[in-house]
Amino acid sequence: MSRVPQASSSGRPTVRTTLVPPTSRSRAPSPCKPSASAIASPSTPRVRTKSIPKSPSKATRRAPPGEEAIPVTPKVPPLSVKEAIALKRAEAKKAAAKPVVSGGNGFDSFDSLEDTIPSSSPIKKEVDDNADLGRWSVKEAIDRARSTGSINLSSRSLPCLPSALFEIHLGVKPDSLKSVTEEPSIGSSDSPGKRSGQRGGPAWFEAQDLQVLKAWNNEIVEIQHEISLFGSLKTVDLHQNKIYALPDTFADLTALTTLDLSHNSLVAVPTKIFALPALTVLNLSHNALIALPFGEPFSDSTRRSGKDIYSSGGFFGPVITRANVPLPRLLSLDVSHNKLTASSIDHKNLPAGLFKIDLSSNPVASGNSDSSALVRAFGGLNQLKELRLANADIGDDAFPPTLLGGSPSQTFSPLRILDLEETRVTSEAVSLSLAGLKQTLSFDVTAEEPSAGTLGITVGKKVLKETWEIEAERRARHRNGKSVTNGKNATDHSPREPPSKEVWEIEAEQGLLTEGGRRRARAIAAAAESKSSDSKVCAPLSHGKHSSVTGIRHPSSPPPQITPSPSFNLTNPQYYHAATQTLTLPASAPPPKSHTRSFSLATSALTALATPGRTDIALPTPSLPISELSTQSFARTLKVLILSNRKLDLSVSLPCGGPETDAGLIPTLEELVLDGCGFSDTITVTRQVDGDATPIKSSELLLSLLTRLFPNLRSLDMSYNALTSAALPKDVLIGLVMACARNTASRTGLRHLRLRGNRIATLDGFQEVADIFKGHRSVPDWKLEELDLRDNEISKLPPELGLLPLDVFLVDGNVFRIPQRRIWEREGTKGLLNWLRGRIE
């Protein structure tokens, strides 16, 4: 049981210690004997005695000559948990029993309550001091930007851009602003671990020009006119501030590509901003803009006052080059939530390359504005795919029946999204005015982007529907025999195409859900084939002869013309998706070895006579059936080919011809998926010959064959196969990855190569390819961006791989131990490549 110590008068607890008896090795002096220092007088000189080695546990240490022995305080044993709790309770009781001293005025003194005031609490002060411990100070962020070329000063309650930014980066002290009387302190850049002689910033040859400036969510009201001296700025993000005006020199940042000034108080912007030559994204939403004068910088008065190319000052000043047309590279324009009307927008000088326009929540049709002229000007943009006019206060007069004019095929031709949510526009007026478009009008709004050839229109209240809901409604309208045009309930007597069915529905109708049903289907097809072959043999003998029954000679008729047709019809929607130009063949596997009943796997012989309802069992058996695919109607436009888990026949079938004609069989294929097929380094190639001769079989390297067959291939997925390092020599990789512009063998170059789950042990081929980059920052023909080598047997990563300019490099699941996993888990692909480059001798 623990003992509760009594509190002493000094407030400290009395600590009770236990004396340990001396051992033979460390003898302590007896307390009854006086020490030598106590007996000897102060004038008696000290006599040196022979030192005896003592145990480290001795309570006193030997003092050096000339000093007195300093006794060492014995180590206090730590208090137990119960003793500490009891001690705290005793201190609390003593504080509660302390008498309260009254003041002279008769009221209790409130001096003891000073610590309870939040403003004077030391804890509160410490929290305020440590509020920014999670990020660098403004001064340190500015210093680091000299090495990175990017600075982020967001959410710091800054009244303006710090003057230190101009002084440190440009050596220029900006003029003071009227709205800022005194700038706040920006802290210090001195780090605690920095040595006194260490350099404070990068050397002059290591410094980079500032290219990215982010200062959003601050209290900025004005921008210094010296901002134009940062001539290399490409991205400026100043949204969510209080900026009411920009200096005219802001338009001198001709290298800008992205400008975000949303959520400010801008009434107008410098007109020369519309002459920036490289700006691609402009966001001016949530301001108070009243006009967009796109053509103002190119008017006669403006041209007389300034030139397109001039120097901003001095012999060494930057040369400013402006565009000759309004914003020639602008792709996205967001001016929503402003005060713009149709007459205040210079629609005659709209940027020609606009891809997206957002005019939502603007009084477009207020006053005498001609909103139809503005919409007609939008229709003349050849690149416009997204037009948003939600809550724009427009009506049916903006979409007259004559909106398309005399060239309906060229107006709004690439448009995919038209947002008229919460406006006075009706679906009938839009359908009538856009009736001549080549796109299919769809008023069903989904979360997905409309497919190619479809214009998604939102009218009235926006109601998002899932794709299955739209399909269910369409099937319901077909079953009820109702018309789907204009939303009326009149009966549609025109023939309607049947709704598409799922794969399991087709198989259920054909009785192919079980193995027995599939065997019966094969037997019926084989019987029909044998019957038709017998009739073909007997037909020439009986042609033009007497009947064996009646003896009457029948008149001869010309033999029927046989039209050659492809052996396989793969245009079924369950295989081919026309919108994305994607063909997906189902997986195939060899029959299980335990099955004793024999049946034919030669499905190619049955397909010529198979009925259209049974085409799904008459598919080509080779894993890569090029000869069958090249006869389809979509062979010249196929983009994506998915052949996953096709293990029945590991071969490639090619039509008649030579290797020089193989590249033109499927010329536009960009993505090929061959995962889970079990391919090895080489593959059997079966080439058809003219007539009924036996096809020629040979063996070729798989990757070399794919390089020859698909010259425009950009993505290749060979995951979970049996490829080894022998399949990846230098010449094969260069032919597969590098682009080539020769007329005889033109290639676009592979961008994505996925080799996950194979048997690759070494990367000698990639190491030899990486040697090309030694001494070269970039190779123009190199196109590879992603390399997936996960779950292989790689025992070593060559350091030369760090020279490859990859965006994604995945190496998890291999057997190497260096580098460690944390290298790429913390810093990603960039950190892994930097680590490898640092190990190059």
Short mmCIF file of all heavy atoms in Angstrom, two decimals, residues 473-492:
data_model
loop_
_atom_site.label_atom_id
_atom_site.label_comp_id
_atom_site.label_asym_id
_atom_site.label_seq_id
_atom_site.Cartn_x
_atom_site.Cartn_y
_atom_site.Cartn_z
N GLU A 473 -36.79 4.32 -69.67
CA GLU A 473 -37.86 5.13 -70.23
C GLU A 473 -38.01 4.92 -71.72
O GLU A 473 -39.13 4.87 -72.25
CB GLU A 473 -37.58 6.61 -69.93
CG GLU A 473 -37.66 6.96 -68.45
CD GLU A 473 -37.30 8.41 -68.19
OE1 GLU A 473 -36.96 9.10 -69.17
OE2 GLU A 473 -37.34 8.84 -67.02
N ARG A 474 -36.89 4.76 -72.42
CA ARG A 474 -36.97 4.53 -73.86
C ARG A 474 -37.64 3.20 -74.18
O ARG A 474 -38.48 3.10 -75.08
CB ARG A 474 -35.56 4.56 -74.47
CG ARG A 474 -35.53 4.54 -75.99
CD ARG A 474 -34.10 4.59 -76.49
NE ARG A 474 -33.39 3.36 -76.17
CZ ARG A 474 -33.45 2.26 -76.91
NH1 ARG A 474 -34.19 2.22 -78.01
NH2 ARG A 474 -32.78 1.19 -76.56
N ARG A 475 -37.32 2.16 -73.40
CA ARG A 475 -37.96 0.87 -73.63
C ARG A 475 -39.45 0.91 -73.30
O ARG A 475 -40.27 0.27 -73.97
CB ARG A 475 -37.27 -0.20 -72.78
CG ARG A 475 -35.85 -0.50 -73.21
CD ARG A 475 -35.31 -1.72 -72.50
NE ARG A 475 -33.94 -2.00 -72.91
CZ ARG A 475 -33.28 -3.11 -72.58
NH1 ARG A 475 -33.87 -4.01 -71.81
NH2 ARG A 475 -32.05 -3.31 -73.00
N ALA A 476 -39.78 1.68 -72.26
CA ALA A 476 -41.20 1.81 -71.91
C ALA A 476 -41.97 2.50 -73.02
O ALA A 476 -43.10 2.11 -73.35
CB ALA A 476 -41.34 2.57 -70.60
N ARG A 477 -41.37 3.52 -73.64
CA ARG A 477 -42.05 4.19 -74.74
C ARG A 477 -42.20 3.26 -75.94
O ARG A 477 -43.20 3.31 -76.66
CB ARG A 477 -41.27 5.45 -75.12
CG ARG A 477 -41.40 6.59 -74.11
CD ARG A 477 -40.91 7.90 -74.69
NE ARG A 477 -39.48 7.85 -74.94
CZ ARG A 477 -38.57 8.30 -74.09
NH1 ARG A 477 -38.95 8.82 -72.92
NH2 ARG A 477 -37.29 8.25 -74.38
N HIS A 478 -41.20 2.41 -76.18
CA HIS A 478 -41.31 1.46 -77.28
C HIS A 478 -42.41 0.44 -77.02
O HIS A 478 -43.15 0.06 -77.93
CB HIS A 478 -39.97 0.76 -77.49
CG HIS A 478 -39.00 1.56 -78.30
ND1 HIS A 478 -39.20 1.86 -79.62
CD2 HIS A 478 -37.81 2.13 -77.96
CE1 HIS A 478 -38.19 2.57 -80.08
NE2 HIS A 478 -37.32 2.75 -79.10
N ARG A 479 -42.48 -0.04 -75.78
CA ARG A 479 -43.51 -1.03 -75.48
C ARG A 479 -44.92 -0.45 -75.59
O ARG A 479 -45.85 -1.11 -76.03
CB ARG A 479 -43.30 -1.58 -74.07
CG ARG A 479 -42.17 -2.58 -73.96
CD ARG A 479 -42.24 -3.33 -72.65
NE ARG A 479 -42.11 -2.44 -71.50
CZ ARG A 479 -40.96 -2.16 -70.91
NH1 ARG A 479 -39.84 -2.71 -71.35
NH2 ARG A 479 -40.93 -1.34 -69.87
N ASN A 480 -45.11 0.78 -75.20
CA ASN A 480 -46.42 1.42 -75.26
C ASN A 480 -46.73 1.97 -76.64
O ASN A 480 -47.84 2.45 -76.87
CB ASN A 480 -46.49 2.55 -74.23
CG ASN A 480 -46.35 2.02 -72.82
OD1 ASN A 480 -46.69 0.88 -72.53
ND2 ASN A 480 -45.83 2.87 -71.93
N GLY A 481 -45.76 1.93 -77.54
CA GLY A 481 -45.99 2.40 -78.89
C GLY A 481 -46.17 3.90 -78.99
O GLY A 481 -46.91 4.40 -79.83
N LYS A 482 -45.51 4.62 -78.12
CA LYS A 482 -45.66 6.07 -78.11
C LYS A 482 -44.51 6.73 -78.85
O LYS A 482 -43.41 6.19 -78.93
CB LYS A 482 -45.69 6.59 -76.67
CG LYS A 482 -46.91 6.09 -75.90
CD LYS A 482 -46.91 6.64 -74.49
CE LYS A 482 -48.12 6.15 -73.72
NZ LYS A 482 -48.15 6.68 -72.35
N SER A 483 -44.80 7.87 -79.40
CA SER A 483 -43.77 8.63 -80.11
C SER A 483 -42.87 9.34 -79.11
O SER A 483 -43.31 9.79 -78.07
CB SER A 483 -44.42 9.65 -81.04
OG SER A 483 -43.45 10.45 -81.65
N VAL A 484 -41.61 9.44 -79.47
CA VAL A 484 -40.64 10.10 -78.61
C VAL A 484 -40.24 11.47 -79.11
O VAL A 484 -39.39 12.13 -78.53
CB VAL A 484 -39.37 9.22 -78.49
CG1 VAL A 484 -39.71 7.92 -77.83
CG2 VAL A 484 -38.73 8.99 -79.86
N THR A 485 -40.86 11.92 -80.19
CA THR A 485 -40.51 13.24 -80.72
C THR A 485 -41.36 14.31 -80.07
O THR A 485 -42.60 14.18 -79.96
CB THR A 485 -40.74 13.26 -82.25
OG1 THR A 485 -42.08 12.85 -82.50
CG2 THR A 485 -39.79 12.31 -82.95
N ASN A 486 -40.70 15.38 -79.64
CA ASN A 486 -41.33 16.55 -79.03
C ASN A 486 -42.05 16.23 -77.75
O ASN A 486 -42.84 17.03 -77.25
CB ASN A 486 -42.30 17.22 -80.00
CG ASN A 486 -41.60 17.75 -81.24
OD1 ASN A 486 -40.43 18.12 -81.17
ND2 ASN A 486 -42.30 17.78 -82.36
N GLY A 487 -41.84 15.06 -77.17
CA GLY A 487 -42.43 14.73 -75.88
C GLY A 487 -43.92 14.52 -75.91
O GLY A 487 -44.59 14.58 -74.89
N LYS A 488 -44.56 14.25 -77.09
CA LYS A 488 -46.00 14.07 -77.20
C LYS A 488 -46.34 12.60 -77.00
O LYS A 488 -45.53 11.71 -77.17
CB LYS A 488 -46.50 14.54 -78.56
CG LYS A 488 -46.24 16.04 -78.79
CD LYS A 488 -46.75 16.46 -80.14
CE LYS A 488 -46.49 17.95 -80.37
NZ LYS A 488 -46.96 18.40 -81.69
N ASN A 489 -47.66 12.34 -76.72
CA ASN A 489 -48.12 10.99 -76.47
C ASN A 489 -48.84 10.41 -77.68
O ASN A 489 -49.59 9.44 -77.56
CB ASN A 489 -49.07 10.95 -75.26
CG ASN A 489 -48.35 11.29 -73.98
OD1 ASN A 489 -47.17 11.00 -73.84
ND2 ASN A 489 -49.06 11.92 -73.04
N ALA A 490 -48.62 10.98 -78.85
CA ALA A 490 -49.27 10.44 -80.04
C ALA A 490 -48.63 9.13 -80.43
O ALA A 490 -47.45 8.90 -80.24
CB ALA A 490 -49.16 11.46 -81.18
N THR A 491 -49.43 8.24 -81.05
CA THR A 491 -48.94 6.93 -81.45
C THR A 491 -48.04 7.07 -82.67
O THR A 491 -48.40 7.73 -83.65
CB THR A 491 -50.11 5.99 -81.76
OG1 THR A 491 -50.95 5.95 -80.62
CG2 THR A 491 -49.61 4.61 -82.10
N ASP A 492 -46.92 6.43 -82.63
CA ASP A 492 -45.94 6.48 -83.72
C ASP A 492 -46.06 5.20 -84.52
O ASP A 492 -45.73 4.12 -84.03
CB ASP A 492 -44.54 6.64 -83.16
CG ASP A 492 -43.52 6.83 -84.27
OD1 ASP A 492 -43.94 7.04 -85.41
OD2 ASP A 492 -42.31 6.77 -83.95
#
